[in-house]
Amino acid sequence: MVSGGVDSMCLLCLAASVGKAVTAVHCNHRIRAEADSDEAFVRAAAERLGVPFRVYAADVPHLSRSRGVSVETAGRDFRRSIMAQLAEEGYTVCTAHHADDQAETVLLHLLRGSGIRGLCGMRAVDGLVVRPLIDCTRAEIEAYATAERIEYVTDLSNADEQYTRNFIRHRVLPVLNERFDAATVLNRLARHAQEADAFIAERLEAVVRIEADTVRVPLDAFADARAETYVRRAMTLLCAGDEVGTAAVDAVRSLAEKQTGKRVCLAGGVTAVREYGDVVFGKETQSATAPQPFAVDGFPAFGVRFFDCPNVVEPGVLRFDPDKLPPGAVVRLKNEGDRFRPFGAPEKSLKRYLVDKKIPARVRSRLPVVAAGNTVYVVCGVEIGECVKIDGGTSRAAQCERI
């Protein structure tokens, strides 16, 4: 990721010299009049170094106004979206963040009332993002640029103290440095916080349960100061940890005291739902809604597939007679008004059956079934109906499997 500043230009030159395949990526934020000339500068530098060049542009001021967020936030979100896209393409993303950036980040998080995770600052390796210069100071990087005659551009907006990070850089840290070696101390704090965070995360695994695309946390975990740690951990596991704030923690703590089925929407598309003895965190996903014709051919529909299996009853395995299904049977999500006769039991509404089975509402809403009209014959992953059970007249059997 190359802005054209001294730190990213040093990183680009170093990366180009190690014999690996390198691509220079520039994000044009359209904030300053010099934005296009900075883009041209980075393009020319990449050509001289013989590395491929990619540019992404966005009208960040417009994004800021339309979303009602600061220009800083809009710009950061723009860059993160590009980095996420590059990671999906298989790239390892390198940024030129250094020790002074780390000090600013930790202090900024501290002043915002962050927990331990915020005090961790930026990690040298964070998923597919690598920060090779994180232990180098700005002074060391500038000295290297001078010694190696590396050209760079200066972003004049870095002097604008209306931006919070610039205010910390130019006004707060200089005052702290009158008494303390602030950058060194704050970087040390980040390392200690990262060690503590890793220690806590290791022990949280015994409590925080990951199940498919959800994270489940027992209610008693929210009874005291541990609540913040558990919410942040759950959100981190769902790739939304950077968006956790005090309001989210308070909302989940309040949710834990409410009745089963209540939910709150959190950042990053994450929802938290009160389910019996737990709070369950998950990301909202769009499910296909058009019914699919039932077929025993292994073709997936609604996250399940059906395949031929031995024509025998086996405890704990849901097998049924597909030939007993009426013509036109489909695989779909449950509907209001559905009726179901469970194996060995009388008929009742499907909703009543699922409530009696303590299937959470979050799961019920996207539960695939095999049905004809409003009659349900198989509740996938839960139970088969009495009408399709295997008996002496069964010539073939089918089994349902989640994928």
Side-chain angles (χ1 to χ4, degrees):
M1 304 296 289
V2 188
S3 67
V6 60
D7 43 9
S8 66
M9 289 304 300
C10 285
L11 176 61
L12 175 60
C13 292
L14 285 166
S17 69
V18 298
K20 300 290 185 180
V22 175
T23 297
V25 177
H26 178 76
C27 291
N28 188 332
H29 298 73
R30 304 280 194 241
I31 296 176
R32 301 175 296 112
E34 302 86 1
D36 289 341
S37 62
D38 288 353
E39 176 187 321
F41 172 83
V42 177
R43 184 189 300 274
E47 290 176 354
R48 287 196 303 274
L49 292 168
V51 302
F53 175 76
R54 293 172 68 167
V55 62
Y56 297 88
D59 186 343
V60 170
H62 173 73
L63 292 175
S64 169
R65 293 189 299 270
S66 62
R67 292 175 49 202
V69 298
S70 69
V71 172
E72 285 177 293
T73 298
R76 182 192 66 212
D77 291 347
F78 165 54
R79 292 190 300 276
R80 284 182 175 177
S81 68
I82 299 307
M83 292 164 68
Q85 177 181 329
L86 292 168
E88 287 180 1
E89 293 179 27
Y91 286 94
T92 295
V93 180
C94 295
T95 68
H97 293 110
H98 47 70
D100 293 78
D101 292 326
Q102 179 78 302
E104 294 163 10
T105 298
V106 173
L107 185 56
L108 183 61
H109 289 174
L110 177 65
L111 294 173
R112 286 174 173 169
S114 173
I116 287 179
R117 191 166 189 275
L119 298 182
C120 292
M122 298 175 288
R123 302 175 191 269
V125 179
D126 188 1
L128 293 176
V129 177
V130 180
R131 300 180 175 94
L133 306 182
I134 196 66
D135 292 326
C136 301
T137 65
R138 182 180 289 112
E140 290 172 331
I141 291 171
E142 291 175 347
Y144 179 83
T146 299
E148 297 297 321
R149 297 182 180 179
I150 296 173
E151 296 182 349
Y152 56 89
V153 295
T154 300
D155 185 346
L156 297 179
S157 69
N158 287 335
D160 188 346
E161 294 180 5
Q162 71 171 318
Y163 299 124
T164 304
R165 182 175 287 274
N166 289 345
F167 175 77
I168 288 176
R169 178 180 302 163
H170 299 299
R171 298 283 292 278
V172 178
L173 280 172
V175 172
L176 292 177
N177 282 324
E178 293 177 4
R179 296 289 181 94
F180 310 97
D181 182 358
T184 299
V185 170
L186 290 168
N187 274 265
R188 185 184 305 131
L189 172 61
R191 288 192 293 272
H192 290 330
Q194 289 173 17
E195 293 170 0
D197 186 56
F199 178 82
I200 291 170
E202 181 179 332
R203 277 144 186 79
L204 286 179
E205 299 308 318
V207 177
V208 178
R209 307 192 303 280
I210 305 172
E211 299 178 355
D213 57 349
T214 63
V215 178
R216 186 177 294 271
V217 183
L219 288 178
D220 59 10
F222 301 98
D224 51 39
R226 296 177 298 165
E228 179 175 345
T229 301
Y230 286 113
V231 173
R232 293 183 186 280
R233 179 58 178 164
M235 295 286 279
T236 298
L237 290 169
L238 292 168
C239 303
D242 290 339
E243 306 297 333
V244 181
T246 303
V249 176
D250 291 342
V252 176
R253 182 184 278 123
S254 174
L255 181 69
E257 300 172 354
K258 296 180 179 177
Q259 67 189 61
T260 295
K262 294 294 185 181
R263 66 173 56 213
V264 293
C265 295
L266 306 173
V270 175
T271 60
V273 184
R274 165 76 151 85
E275 291 184 2
Y276 303 105
D278 300 312
V279 171
V280 180
F281 298 81
K283 297 199 83 169
E284 291 292 340
T285 57
Q286 297 295 322
S287 299
T289 56
Q292 303 292 316
F294 172 82
V296 186
D297 58 6
F299 186 79
F302 294 91
V304 296
R305 67 185 183 94
F306 300 89
F307 56 93
D308 290 313
C309 64
N311 184 11
V312 294
V313 176
E314 184 177 338
V317 180
L318 299 181
R319 292 174 177 168
F320 62 97
D321 186 337
D323 294 328
K324 292 182 178 180
L325 291 171
V330 298
V331 184
R332 60 166 171 80
L333 299 182
K334 64 173 284 293
N335 290 334
E336 287 297 322
D338 280 346
R339 305 288 297 177
F340 179 57
R341 185 183 178 189
F343 180 82
E347 183 183 279
K348 62 176 69 176
S349 75
L350 179 60
K351 180 178 181 180
R352 182 73 265 163
Y353 168 76
L354 294 173
V355 170
D356 291 344
K357 291 283 288 185
K358 297 189 181 301
I359 305 295
R362 171 185 56 83
V363 177
R364 296 199 300 267
S365 65
R366 54 184 182 179
L367 193 64
V369 300
V370 179
N374 282 120
T375 301
V376 171
Y377 296 91
V378 179
V379 182
C380 300
V382 180
E383 184 60 278
I384 64 167
E386 176 70 18
C387 299
V388 293
K389 67 181 180 182
I390 295 174
D391 56 25
T394 298
S395 60
R396 66 173 184 143
Q399 186 171 324
C400 175
E401 177 183 71
R402 288 189 176 277
I403 56 174

